[in-house]
Amino acid sequence: MKKIFSVIATMMVAAGMTAQTHTLDVNTTKVGGPIPSTMYGIFFEDINYAADGGLYGELVKNRSFEFPNNFAGWDISGKVTLKDDGPFNKNPHYVRLAPSGHSDKHTMIENHGFFGMGVKGGEEYRFSVWARVPNGGTAKLWIDLVDNATMGDDQKLGNGSVEVSGAEWKKYTAILKPNRTFAKAHLRVWGDSKVTTDVEHVSLFPVDTYKGHENGMRKDLAESLEQLHPGVFRFPGGCIVEGTDLATRYQWKNSVGPVENRPLNENRWHYTFTHRYFPDYFQSYGLGFFEYFQLSEEIGAEPLPVVSVGLSCEFQNGSNRSDAHVPVDQLQPYIDDVLDLIEFANGDPAKNMWAKLRADMGHPAPFNLKYVGIGNEQWGEIYPENLKPFVEQVRKKYPNIKIVGTSGPDSEGQQFEYLWPEMRKIGADLVDEHFYRNEEWFLGTPEAKKRWGNCGANRYDSYPRKGPKVFAGEYACHGAGKKWNHFNAALMEAAFMTGLERNADVVEMATYAPLFAHVEGWQWRPDAIWYDNLRKFNSCAYYVQQLYSVNKGTNMLTLTMNGKPVAGNPDQDGLFASAVYDKNSNEVIVKVVNTGDQAQEVVLNLKGMKGTHDAQLIVFHSDNLTAENTLEEPGKIIPQTLSLTLETPVPKVTVPARTFHILKIKK
Ligand code: AHR
């Protein structure tokens, strides 16, 4: 008690005087409906160098020489030639390293990585290459990790070699151990001075990937995902699902099987914004559907793959371009892709070739896929027309799979109004809604309601309780005035999310977007997790997601102020609140967000609770609304937890201005 009072007193001083006292009534005797375990999840898309150059541990860019400029990302010196009759039919290019004929002239290829390669002193890196000696015999390849930017006497950070033998293509590996940490290393492969050697699929991974997989994920980034405890993991996007044209849509079948033979795909984020143009941004598919499923399992999230509905990006093509959509009578290959995907995830390896491939890749047990999204941000009449046969065939064969349809790119408006009833008619299980909106929208101010209609924390209060559930599949507060991952935007999201929690009977899942961004390679912001080649920071938005996710509880509880939900109504002084019960920990969890610039006094009336209780107060606050975490100061704004003993009835609690509080009380 002493502790809580002193904390409150300090906060009051910091936050100024309070206005009137508000009574929050939580009825703990009447446990409400369940909170879906999928409620708070993650949305992954290869945007902002999220996959290649980000989560995917590969350090070599253009490792198979398949970029349209086959030497993009490489410097070459000496006798290097490009060949195209290699061992992997979907990646036919490789390079021939021939001796120069002079002992002092070397043949060498040097890869720049993604904005350089981040390597850590003393750690192990696995170099691998497919190689052969075309004329037979043996040859030696020397491998160097170099610092050719800030080097002292010696460029070498670490080195190794492989001995290549015979005219057959084989995979060779070597372990490199850099002598110091460097964010911008390059990788050099030196040809044999006497023997011509062919090399293909040149790769370098940290040995210490997440869970130690060879084709694995960058550990610190995957750990950020794990620590979110996401209930659902949506992949692989976003717009890249659709493709700028049908040929460049994401085709999951190309993303499975041996990595050496996964064909390159364009990445639309390489050219979408001319002010952030990245001509060497492609999708290697090294992080493919097997890896997505495996990662979902390892971080404890339900996988939610999203597939093409036979419509390429309508932002880029409009709704009527005939070459941008597949007519219904030609959709079967697209539908088969979904049916085969379900087999790949859940099927019996003895009975199905896609299930067998999963087993061959190291996962004989099913991944227990339960959801599939069909289409991303589609709109117009073609979408429901195309979606219908997908739904019919999936339902017929896999009645337990839940289908997620979309309501277009906006949270309201003509397309949204058109698509929701269409989704009901078609019988989608969930409808994906997207809203990248400003502070006003998240607060649901009268002005915002005038402009956008239904917004803010009471958005879902009025949704019908029957029919499809909501998947808030992409959302983030985009601060007016070009502030990005600052504290205030996260606070707006926290306020809005009280409405998700209160409506957990209609909102089945919600995923903040996008997830990742490389500080040197971003195209879109804000994003949840930022990084360079060695460091990362979790944004304020990340912490809000995490706070909801780890405190989601198991069941809803009713919380009202003066008989009404606390959703920032004009007479509620900027307060937002919700409550849940967690039957596993036997805790009542109350979330209160004060978005106003005045501290608010709150009396918490916990109906059904008496006596003394162990409790925790989690405080997420910054005095500076525009402050944000950075690579240099990753822990600048993070939640603080205090342990308390609490008497019920709970005495007056002061929620400081601009603060997110979570009070967890053992029942
Ligand atoms: O998250 C970035 C993009 O925003 C997604 O690719 C798309 O679905 C939305 O428009």
Side-chain angles (χ1 to χ4, degrees), residues 196-494:
T196 293
T197 319
D198 291 339
V199 298
E200 157 69 312
H201 197 86
V202 182
S203 168
L204 186 74
F205 271 85
V207 169
D208 190 19
T209 56
Y210 182 65
K211 306 283 181 199
H213 302 299
E214 277 199 21
N215 186 50
M217 305 302 132
R218 185 172 143 176
K219 196 176 180 182
D220 60 334
L221 299 185
E223 281 173 351
S224 270
L225 300 185
E226 184 186 289
Q227 287 154 12
L228 275 172
H229 298 276
V232 65
F233 179 16
R234 170 183 167 193
F235 54 85
C239 290
I240 65 167
V241 168
E242 307 156 62
T244 301
D245 33 46
L246 290 165
T248 55
R249 73 190 189 278
Y250 195 102
Q251 298 192 51
W252 74 266
K253 286 176 179 166
N254 286 337
S255 80
V256 293
V259 280
E260 303 80 21
N261 206 20
R262 299 183 192 173
L264 189 78
N265 194 7
E266 186 178 283
N267 187 326
R268 60 161 286 149
W269 298 109
H270 121 191
Y271 50 71
T272 300
F273 302 120
T274 46
H275 67 292
R276 300 285 301 167
Y277 204 83
F278 293 91
D280 61 351
Y281 190 10
F282 289 84
Q283 300 180 74
S284 73
Y285 281 172
L287 168 48
F289 265 41
F290 179 85
E291 291 77 19
Y292 283 126
F293 279 119
Q294 189 175 54
L295 185 60
S296 302
E297 187 173 78
E298 288 172 348
I299 60 178
E302 294 293 348
L304 167 49
V306 182
V307 296
S308 165
V309 69
L311 261 169
S312 51
C313 178
E314 292 182 78
F315 275 116
Q316 286 163 310
N317 299 291
S319 300
N320 297 317
R321 252 182 68 172
S322 59
D323 59 347
H325 76 264
V326 183
V328 177
D329 60 359
Q330 291 165 36
L331 267 179
Q332 197 54 44
Y334 288 71
I335 301 172
D336 288 343
D337 277 354
V338 183
L339 304 176
D340 292 340
L341 174 62
I342 297 169
E343 287 297 329
F344 178 74
N346 293 351
D348 178 349
K351 294 189 183 146
N352 180 278
M353 64 177 268
W354 294 106
K356 181 174 180 312
L357 177 60
R358 181 194 74 233
D360 293 346
M361 290 182 76
H363 203 288
F367 281 119
N368 287 320
L369 176 68
K370 300 187 182 87
Y371 298 91
V372 62
I374 305 174
N376 171 66
E377 287 195 350
Q378 259 76 46
W379 62 80
E381 283 164 20
I382 298 171
Y383 175 53
E385 255 170 51
N386 272 26
L387 181 60
K388 216 163 157 235
F390 281 84
V391 174
E392 282 163 4
Q393 293 194 39
V394 172
R395 289 269 184 264
K396 197 164 166 211
K397 244 182 135 181
Y398 308 102
N400 295 329
I401 293 285
K402 288 190 178 180
I403 296 173
V404 185
T406 101
S407 56
D410 292 309
S411 51
E412 66 291 308
Q414 205 189 334
Q415 298 304 343
F416 181 88
E417 301 302 334
Y418 165 69
L419 282 169
W420 253 101
E422 288 298 316
M423 294 303 106
R424 284 183 197 285
K425 257 193 254 160
I426 284 181
D429 297 288
L430 292 101
V431 177
D432 183 10
E433 298 190 347
H434 294 183
F435 32 92
Y436 297 106
R437 294 284 185 260
N438 68 12
E439 292 92 338
E440 299 283 313
W441 190 98
F442 279 83
L443 287 174
T445 61
E447 294 70 31
K449 287 193 194 274
K450 228 181 268 163
R451 176 171 168 199
W452 282 294
N454 193 4
C455 60
N458 50 20
R459 174 178 175 87
Y460 296 111
D461 293 358
S462 55
Y463 267 50
R465 271 32 207 175
K466 287 209 173 110
K469 304 277 187 196
V470 172
F471 169 35
E474 289 186 38
Y475 71 95
C477 174
H478 283 205
K482 301 282 182 236
K483 295 288 175 207
W484 302 108
N485 277 119
H486 58 306
F487 176 74
N488 193 46
L491 190 71
M492 300 299 108
E493 288 150 9

Side-chain angles (χ1 to χ4, degrees), residues 19-33:
Q20 70 181 101
T21 300
H22 299 282
T23 303
L24 303 183
D25 292 300
V26 180
N27 186 352
T28 75
T29 61
K30 211 170 151 211
V31 169

